Amino acid sequence: VEGTMSDAVVVKTRKFKRNPLLARRQMIVDIIHPGRANVPKSELQEVVGGMFKADAKLTVLFGFRTKFGGGKSTGFCVIYDSEEALRKFEPKHRQIRSGFIEKKETSRKAMKEAKNKGKKVRGTGASIAKHKAKRAAGAD
């Protein structure tokens, strides 16, 4: 399957696979872009979506690597059947990149405090944990 864009950019796909368990189509995308450093993912979303008669919003592109010397890039593409499937199966960081969810800003200290708070034993298990800690300290 081939598609073309402005400035003589050729988009080819290979290893196409229908993945019904994750409600998506997945493939490797090869882009030939002589005379251009790179091609934006937003531009590619439109083209690949058009090639497979899919909504550009449900097309997720990632993992692009430019070949040494430039002119050719290869990456991965998944096209979800529905927005619901995308929200369910797509990793959070890629949903943030494609603008489906907002990134929540947390400081390093806040994350560490939350982690340590989660480690603390609550409820009736707390007294047992203290007892075990005391016995372990006494055994040394």
Side-chain angles (χ1 to χ4, degrees):
V1 185
E2 283 189 38
T4 54
M5 279 194 299
S6 61
D7 211 3
V9 173
V10 181
V11 180
K12 293 180 182 176
T13 62
R14 59 189 168 93
K15 292 193 178 178
F16 178 88
K17 186 183 283 180
R18 179 92 193 77
N19 190 337
L21 287 174
L22 297 176
R24 71 187 189 188
R25 292 167 281 177
Q26 54 196 49
M27 68 216 79
I28 293 173
V29 182
D30 292 320
I31 297 121
I32 299 158
H33 49 91
R36 275 179 81 166
N38 261 326
V39 186
K41 286 197 196 108
S42 55
E43 219 173 292
L44 290 172
Q45 268 183 325
E46 300 288 329
V47 174
V48 177
M51 283 161 64
F52 289 94
K53 296 176 181 67
D55 188 357
K57 280 202 329 240
L58 302 176
T59 306
V60 183
L61 296 137
F62 58 94
F64 277 87
R65 283 273 166 267
T66 307
K67 293 277 183 287
F68 180 72
K72 185 181 178 192
S73 299
T74 302
F76 203 75
C77 171
V78 293
I79 302 172
Y80 284 92
D81 298 346
S82 66
E83 191 175 318
E84 183 191 336
L86 186 143
R87 288 183 185 277
K88 186 175 179 186
F89 298 119
E90 197 62 10
K92 291 280 185 284
H93 70 277
R94 288 209 295 257
Q95 284 189 41
I96 291 166
R97 280 181 202 167
S98 55
F100 277 99
I101 52 177
E102 289 294 312
K103 186 180 196 301
K104 62 174 200 284
E105 292 291 329
T106 51
S107 67
R108 186 177 160 90
K109 187 172 182 187
M111 286 193 281
K112 283 175 178 280
E113 283 173 353
K115 173 191 67 103
N116 290 331
K117 189 176 182 186
K119 288 199 307 192
K120 289 199 174 109
V121 185
R122 291 188 292 276
T124 54
S127 59
I128 297 165
K130 279 182 191 163
H131 178 69
K132 281 188 176 170
K134 197 181 271 187
R135 283 191 59 182
D140 287 343

